[in-house]
Amino acid sequence: MTAASPETDENRYDFRAIEERWLPEWRRTQPFRAAGPDDERPTKYVLDMFPYPSGDLHMGHAEAYALGDVIARYWTQRGFNVLHPIGWDSFGLPAENAAITRGLDPRGWTEDNIAQQRTSMERYACSFDWDRVLATHRPDYYRWNQWLFTRLHERGLAYRKHSNVNWCPKDQTVLANEQVVGGLCERCDTPVTKKKLNQWYFKVTDYADRLLDDLDTLQDTWPSKVIAMQRNWIGRSTGADVAFRIEGRDEPIDIYTTRPDTLFGATFMVVAVDSDLGAEIAQRADAGVQQQFDAYLEQVRGSSEIDRLSTERPKSGVFLDAYAINPVNGERLPIWASDYVLADYGHGAIMAVPAHDQRDLDFARAMDLPVRAVLDCRDEDGEALPDPAESGVATTGDGTLINSGDLDGMDKVQAIAAITARLDADGRGRASTNYRLRDWLISRQRYWGTPIPIVHCEACGEVAVPDDQLPVELPPTEGLDLTPKGTSPLGAATDWVTTTCPRCDGPATRDTDTMDTFVDSSWYFLRFLSPGKTDGPFDSSEAARWAPVDQYVGGVTHAILHLLYARFFTKALHDMGMVDFEEPFSALLNQGMVQMDGSAMSKSRGNLVRLSDQLDEFGVDAIRLTMAFAGPPEDDIDWADVSPAGSAKFLARAWRLARDVESTPDADASTGDVALRAVTHRTLHDCASLVEGFRFNVVVARIMELVNATRKAIDSGPGAADPAVREAAEAVAILLSLFAPYCSEDMWAMLGRDNVARAGWPAVDESLLVEDTVTCVVQVKGKVRDRLEVAPDISDGDLEAAAMASPAIQRALDGAAIRTVIVRAPKLVNIVPV
RNA sequence: GCCCCCGUAGCCCAAUCGGCAGAGGCAACCGGCUUAAACCCGGUUCAGUGCGGGUUCGAUUCCCGCCGGGGGCACCA
C-alpha cells in the first residue's frame, strides 16, 4: 500500500510534505536493489564515480548524481535489471590532516562523513543499491588491494627501484608523475622537488601499447577529449636507437632519436646531467671537469620543477671533455651534460642536430658549437628557408637530404627507412619506440592508506605477505605521530613493524609505505559485484554477468589518472585470467562543473552555494531537474544562469495535472483525444533516444511541452475527464521519474498507481506518430514564398505541380523562366528562375 | 609552440543525412485573477547564427582563413 492517501493532501504542490511522505517509504522498500542471476531482464551496469568523504555532499556531487540517476532510472524503466552501486573512496590525505590538525581519529572522522553523505544521498533520492556499499578504508576492502598487489608482484608488475622521484615538501610524500601539475603538487600547489628514493612502482609501461591502441575501441562511447588526453599522456613516439662509440669507453652509448634521417647533421652529444651515464663520463675526465660537473649537478638539483619546466630559460651545461664517434661518418662529437635532456626518457642521452632541432640549436648557440644543415627545407612557395645557424630558427619540417653522403636527395621517409635498415644491418642501431608515460609510483609515506604487503627479511629479501596473513591491518593511531616528516608514520609503530619472515621465520620488518589511493579506485567497480566476498576480490561469475561497466559517469578531472590506472588494472586482471574483458568502462559520460558567477565555487572566493540550502529552499526535485535542464551534461553550469525556482514552478504545474485528472486508472486511452495522444506518444518516442544520447536538457524541454499541451487539453480542450488526459499525465509522471522522483511518485499515487520508478516505459503507438498533413515550404531562389499543407506521402511530381499552382509563387516568379526545380517531398520545393 | 572543443535573442539553451533560425526555460513588459500584492493563468517584445571567403538551388550545419573563449600536452629528442 502507499504511504498516505492523496485525498488528505492540500490542494497544492508542497515539496516538503511530498519528500517527507516518500523518503521513509523508499527507505523501507529499497526499490533499487539489483536482482540476482535468476532475473530474466537484461543487465545494465551504471556507475557513478564514488566520492571521497571529505564532508557533506556539495553542488558538484548533486550534478553528477542527478545525471547518473537519469541514466540508471531510465534503464530501469526500459525493463533492464540495473546495477547502480555507490561506495566511498575513503583513504587519503584529508582524513589524515583532520587527525593532525584537530586530533581526530581518521577512522571515526571518515565513518562520520560517510554516514552524513549517505543520509544526504538518500534524501537526494539517488537510486543506489544500498546493499552493496563499500568503503576502501575498511580492511575487508583493502585486504584485496594487498592481495592484488601480491599478484602483480609475482608477475613483476609491482617492483621497487631507486630513482629520482617527485617530492612534495609540504605533504612530505612522493607523488606520481600524474599528480604533478605544472610543477606543483596537485593537492596543495606546493612546488615539487626531486628526491632520490627507493620506491614501489606498477609497471604501467608494459601496457603502454595496449592502453593506447585499445582507445580505438572507445572512440564512439568515450568523450573524444578524454581519448585525446590519454593519447597525449601515453605519448608514443617512434624512431631509432643509435649506438655511438665513446672514446675511452668499452661499451657504446645508445641514443634515441625520432629523426635518424638527420644523423649526418649531429654535431655534438648531450647526456642528462642527473643520469648515471653523465656521472660516469664526468668521472673519467680530469678534476677540473669533475668539479664543474658536480657544481652544475648540484645547481640543477636545487632548482625547482617549475624552473626546470620553463622553456624560455637559457640553456646551460658542462663540456665533459669526452667524445663520441658518429657511426655514419666517423666524426668526433663533443659530449656535454645538460638538464635539457631528461634522464628517464629514452636512454638519457641524445645526438644533437642543431640545424633541425630548436632545443639543440639554442644549446649550440649558447655554447658556440657548430651547426650543419643536412636537410634542404623549403616554405610553401618553394623558397629555401633561412640557414638555422644564421636565423636561430631550426628547420624541423621535412626536406631533401643534403650533406649526408649517399643519402643525399632522399626525402624524410626514404632516409629514415634507409638509415635505420643500414644501422640495423651493422648492429649499430634499430627501430625503437618510446613513451612519455612512466611507471606508476605507488608508495606513499603517509598513514591513511593500504599498507604495502611486503616483509623485508635479511635472509630472503622482499617477501610478499601470504594470502592467509592478509589483510595487513593498519596499526592504531595511538602513539603514532602522523605529522609529515618524510618517512612513513608506520615506521614508529615498532610492534607492528617487527615481524617474522613468512618464508624463513627469521626476524623481519614490514614495509612501512602505504599505497596511492588510486590503487583503491582502480578496481572498485568489480568489488561492487560481490562486495561481501571473503575468498577473493570479486566473483568471476558475477563479473561475467555485469561487467564491464555499461555506463560510467564522472568528472573530467579524472580523465587521465583514475581512468588510465583502472584500464591498466583491467588489462592486468585480464592477463591473469580473472576477467574476460580488457576495458573496464564501455561508455563514459563526463559531467561539467557547477560554478557561480563564472568561476569555481570556493569559500575563499565567497561564492559558495550550499547544496543543503538549495534543497531546503527549492526541494530535491527542483535541484535535480535544474541540473539536468541547465544545458548539455558535459558543459559547466553557472548557478547564476539557471533557475531552480523556475524548475520548482514547472514541477508544481506538472503535479497539478495529476491532481486534475478526472478519469479512473482503467480508462481506455484509445478512446481519448487524438491530438493530445499524438503529442504524448511523440514525446515518449523521442525522449527515449534523447536520454540515450544524454540530451537531458532537451528531454526536460519536451516534458515541458507535454505538460503545456495537457494543461491546454484540460482547460480549453477535451477536458479533465478525457482518457487522453490521464494517459498524458501518466506519461509525464513516468518521464519525470528520471529527474524528479518525489514529485513523480506523488503524481503516480494521485493517479491511483503504485511505484512509479518501476512503472515501465509506456508502449508507443506508432500509428499516432504518423502525421496526416505536413507543411511544405515553397521557396523561390531559396526564399520562402509559400507554405502548403500536403499529405506526407505526396509524390515529387504532385508536389511540384501544387507548388507551381500557388498564386503566391506565380506572383514571386513574375513570369520569369525557370532553370531548375528542386523537390524534396514532402517538406520542400525550391524553384530557381533563370 | 602543438593538439582538442566551443561561439545562435539581454541570459541559459534547441534547430541530429545541408531545407521555414526557435522547442523549452530565465529575465523584461502587457493583460486576467486579487481590496492589494504574491502565487497562478494568458499574451508580447527580443537574434539572422563571432568575422571574412568558398562549395551549393539552398549553409547555424560542410571546407579554408582569421578573431574570441575554454581545455590538454609541452626541453619527451
Side-chain angles (χ1 to χ4, degrees):
Chain A
M1 61 162 271
T2 53
S5 63
E7 292 80 49
T8 63
D9 290 349
E10 290 174 61
N11 222 14
R12 47 176 282 271
Y13 176 73
D14 176 352
F15 72 81
R16 288 184 189 86
I18 294 173
E19 286 177 18
E20 278 167 30
R21 181 164 350 161
W22 297 109
L23 181 54
E25 177 75 2
W26 296 333
R27 279 220 173 90
R28 194 173 60 74
T29 57
Q30 289 294 320
F32 296 103
R33 239 181 250 135
D38 296 339
D39 193 281
E40 285 166 5
R41 293 172 297 168
T43 61
K44 195 65 96 169
Y45 188 177
V46 179
L47 183 63
D48 294 290
M49 288 182 184
F50 65 166
Y52 183 84
S54 55
D56 202 354
L57 298 183
H58 52 66
M59 296 297 281
H61 293 118
E63 185 192 2
Y65 298 138
L67 302 186
D69 229 43
V70 172
I71 297 170
R73 287 172 177 270
Y74 170 75
W75 289 114
T76 302
Q77 295 289 29
R78 297 297 297 192
F80 283 72
N81 178 15
V82 172
L83 172 59
H84 188 210
I86 192 71
W88 279 273
D89 189 14
S90 46
F91 265 141
L93 283 182
E96 194 157 342
N97 291 339
I100 294 159
T101 57
R102 287 182 276 161
L104 302 169
D105 169 40
R107 280 174 194 77
W109 183 89
T110 301
E111 291 289 353
D112 287 351
N113 283 342
I114 287 175
Q116 188 185 15
Q117 288 198 347
R118 174 175 172 150
T119 304
S120 298
M121 287 168 176
E122 286 173 339
R123 176 187 181 190
Y124 201 59
C126 296
S127 64
F128 294 137
D129 180 341
W130 292 109
D131 287 353
R132 293 173 186 259
V133 270
L134 60 80
T136 58
H137 76 285
R138 295 176 190 155
D140 66 349
Y141 185 86
Y142 71 72
R143 167 184 183 177
W144 301 109
N145 276 347
Q146 295 173 333
W147 188 92
L148 290 163
F149 179 98
T150 62
R151 295 310 183 277
L152 294 172
H153 188 246
E154 262 171 31
R155 285 163 175 77
L157 291 171
Y159 68 98
R160 209 152 70 124
K161 74 171 173 192
H162 233 89
S163 90
N164 281 316
V165 298
N166 299 303
W167 179 260
C168 173
K170 175 150 177 288
D171 291 340
Q172 290 280 305
T173 185
V174 300
L175 299 170
N177 244 19
E178 288 79 357
Q179 287 164 327
V180 181
V181 180
L184 302 175
C185 169
E186 176 197 48
R187 277 204 168 279
C188 64
D189 286 343
T190 308
V192 169
T193 60
K194 291 278 184 183
K195 203 166 177 173
K196 193 140 193 169
L197 286 171
N198 201 14
Q199 297 286 306
W200 286 100
Y201 292 82
F202 284 160
K203 216 157 193 297
V204 192
T205 50
D206 266 15
Y207 286 79
D209 278 324
R210 285 161 69 186
L211 287 167
L212 186 66
D213 295 338
D214 290 353
L215 287 171
D216 292 345
T217 68
L218 306 171
Q219 201 74 50
D220 300 328
T221 51
W222 277 38
S224 54
K225 183 179 169 180
V226 174
I227 291 178
M229 284 165 76
Q230 294 229 348
R231 287 220 170 92
N232 251 335
W233 188 261
I234 294 166
R236 179 162 66 193
S237 86
T238 53
D241 285 342
V242 183
F244 281 69
R245 199 161 58 75
I246 307 297
E247 290 181 358
R249 190 180 193 262
D250 295 337
E251 288 293 304
I253 289 176
D254 272 345
I255 59 96
Y256 171 72
T257 179
T258 54
R259 297 296 301 268
D261 54 319
T262 62
L263 193 46
F264 281 88
T267 54
F268 55 100
M269 176 181 271
V270 188
V271 297
V273 61
D274 51 349
S275 64
D276 294 344
L277 190 60
E280 181 214 300
I281 295 172
Q283 207 166 20
R284 227 190 293 279
D286 65 38
V289 170
Q290 266 243 32
Q291 214 168 7
Q292 279 179 47
F293 176 84
D294 291 343
Y296 179 56
L297 179 59
E298 191 153 330
Q299 179 205 321
V300 169
R301 283 241 162 92
S303 67
S304 73
E305 200 58 8
I306 312 181
D307 291 341
R308 205 185 143 112
L309 284 168
S310 163
T311 44
E312 280 90 59
R313 201 167 48 113
K315 291 278 183 286
S316 61
V318 171
F319 175 49
L320 297 180
D321 195 22
Y323 292 87
I325 308 300
N326 189 332
V328 291
N329 58 12
E331 275 187 293
R332 288 179 92 217
L333 307 179
I335 303 176
W336 287 67
S338 175
D339 63 352
Y340 88 89
V341 171
L342 306 176
D344 57 353
Y345 184 79
H347 306 283
I350 61 154
M351 67 169 189
V353 185
H356 308 299
D357 182 289
Q358 191 59 47
R359 298 153 299 183
D360 295 345
L361 183 58
D362 293 343
F363 191 83
R365 285 161 69 94
M367 303 305 166
D368 205 20
L369 292 160
V371 177
R372 186 199 311 136
V374 290
L375 294 175
D376 179 20
C377 296
R378 305 270 163 168
D379 63 17
E380 297 111 37
D381 306 325
E383 297 290 320
L385 291 170
D387 180 6
E390 303 296 326
S391 67
V393 180
T395 49
T396 55
D398 300 358
T400 308
L401 269 75
I402 51 171
N403 300 324
S404 299
D406 56 354
L407 298 178
D408 283 358
M410 289 188 182
D411 67 21
K412 175 177 166 180
V413 175
Q414 293 169 323
I416 288 178
I419 209 155
T420 307
R422 189 177 306 175
L423 289 166
D424 209 345
D426 296 350
R428 292 177 169 196
R430 64 218 69 90
S432 167
T433 304
N434 267 282
Y435 305 89
R436 217 191 67 91
L437 180 73
R438 306 295 145 89
D439 279 339
W440 174 14
L441 199 176
I442 61 143
S443 16
R444 296 291 180 276
Q445 289 70 50
R446 300 302 299 253
Y447 171 79
W448 196 233
T450 306
I452 289 177
I454 290 287
V455 162
H456 298 281
C457 168
E458 278 170 36
C460 311
E462 284 169 11
V463 181
V465 176
D467 292 354
D468 60 8
Q469 291 175 32
L470 296 179
V472 177
E473 283 201 46
L474 280 171
T477 50
E478 282 90 63
L480 293 185
D481 176 16
L482 301 185
T483 317
K485 54 195 170 303
T487 56
S488 174
L490 293 178
T494 317
D495 292 349
W496 182 86
V497 171
T498 311
T499 186
T500 53
C501 173
R503 194 173 297 162
C504 71
D505 266 342
T509 57
R510 292 194 186 282
D511 199 292
T512 58
D513 284 350
T514 51
M515 294 182 206
D516 182 3
T517 56
F518 278 110
V519 176
D520 311 352
S521 52
S522 289
W523 65 281
Y524 78 111
F525 61 98
L526 291 166
R527 185 68 185 169
F528 278 131
L529 308 179
S530 46
K533 191 173 170 68
T534 53
D535 58 353
F538 58 88
D539 187 297
S540 301
S541 64
E542 289 294 297
R545 197 157 74 90
W546 291 106
V549 173
D550 293 295
Q551 182 63 57
Y552 201 27
V553 180
V556 74
T557 41
H558 294 110
I560 297 172
L561 294 164
H562 161 59
L563 292 173
L564 191 75
Y565 296 149
R567 294 182 62 224
F568 160 71
F569 255 72
T570 302
K571 290 177 193 305
L573 289 169
H574 172 268
D575 293 352
M576 293 177 204
M578 294 182 68
V579 297
D580 60 2
F581 50 89
E582 294 215 44
E583 284 293 337
F585 312 121
S586 302
L588 174 67
L589 174 65
N590 284 135
Q591 87 280 358
M593 294 187 311
V594 186
Q595 308 183 324
M596 188 61 189
D597 293 321
S599 54
M601 290 186 196
S602 75
K603 249 179 244 171
S604 56
R605 255 195 208 91
N607 65 351
L608 198 74
V609 177
R610 281 182 40 159
L611 175 61
S612 58
D613 293 346
Q614 297 291 307
L615 297 178
D616 291 345
E617 189 174 352
F618 302 106
V620 168
D621 285 345
I623 299 307
R624 290 175 53 124
L625 190 74
T626 302
M627 295 293 184
F629 186 51
E634 58 276 8
D635 286 7
D636 290 342
I637 297 173
D638 196 317
W639 205 246
D641 290 337
V642 297
S643 171
S647 299
K649 228 159 73 178
F650 163 70
L651 289 170
R653 217 167 122 75
W655 183 87
R656 287 194 300 267
L657 294 180
R659 182 200 64 189
D660 293 349
V661 164
E662 283 174 8
S663 55
T664 53
D666 56 5
D668 180 5
S670 66
T671 64
D673 180 71
V674 175
L676 180 58
R677 293 201 73 210
V679 177
T680 303
H681 284 255
R682 168 66 61 192
T683 304
L684 287 165
H685 173 265
D686 292 355
C687 283
S689 51
L690 286 168
V691 171
E692 289 175 37
F694 311 131
R695 319 260 336 256
F696 308 136
N697 54 328
V698 183
V699 174
V700 175
R702 297 297 299 274
I703 303 173
M704 288 173 168
E705 279 183 83
L706 178 55
V707 167
N708 292 344
T710 313
R711 183 79 257 163
K712 205 169 233 170
I714 292 174
D715 291 347
S716 55
D722 190 291
V725 167
R726 160 169 285 273
E727 183 183 44
E730 291 190 354
V732 168
I734 289 166
L735 288 165
L736 269 185
S737 75
L738 314 187
F739 304 91
Y742 291 103
C743 177
S744 59
E745 191 77 271
D746 216 57
M747 289 175 70
W748 202 237
M750 283 191 289
L751 290 163
R753 301 191 187 274
D754 187 30
N755 194 359
V756 71
R758 289 289 184 94
W761 201 261
V764 172
D765 183 344
E766 301 283 337
S767 70
L768 287 166
L769 304 181
V770 236
E771 294 161 275
D772 28 314
T773 62
V774 183
T775 306
C776 175
V777 176
V778 186
Q779 301 174 334
V780 174
K781 211 162 181 280
K783 286 211 168 69
V784 180
R785 298 297 187 189
D786 197 11
R787 287 147 214 269
L788 306 171
E789 288 301 312
V790 299
D793 55 352
I794 191 168
S795 71
D796 282 5
D798 290 353
L799 187 58
E800 182 175 343
M804 294 310 292
S806 153
I809 295 305
Q810 285 305 325
R811 224 175 302 128
L813 283 171
D814 197 24
I818 289 158
R819 198 168 88 196
T820 33
V821 180
I822 288 114
V823 184
R824 293 280 181 276
K827 302 202 69 165
L828 177 126
V829 176
N830 188 11
I831 302 159
V832 188
V834 177

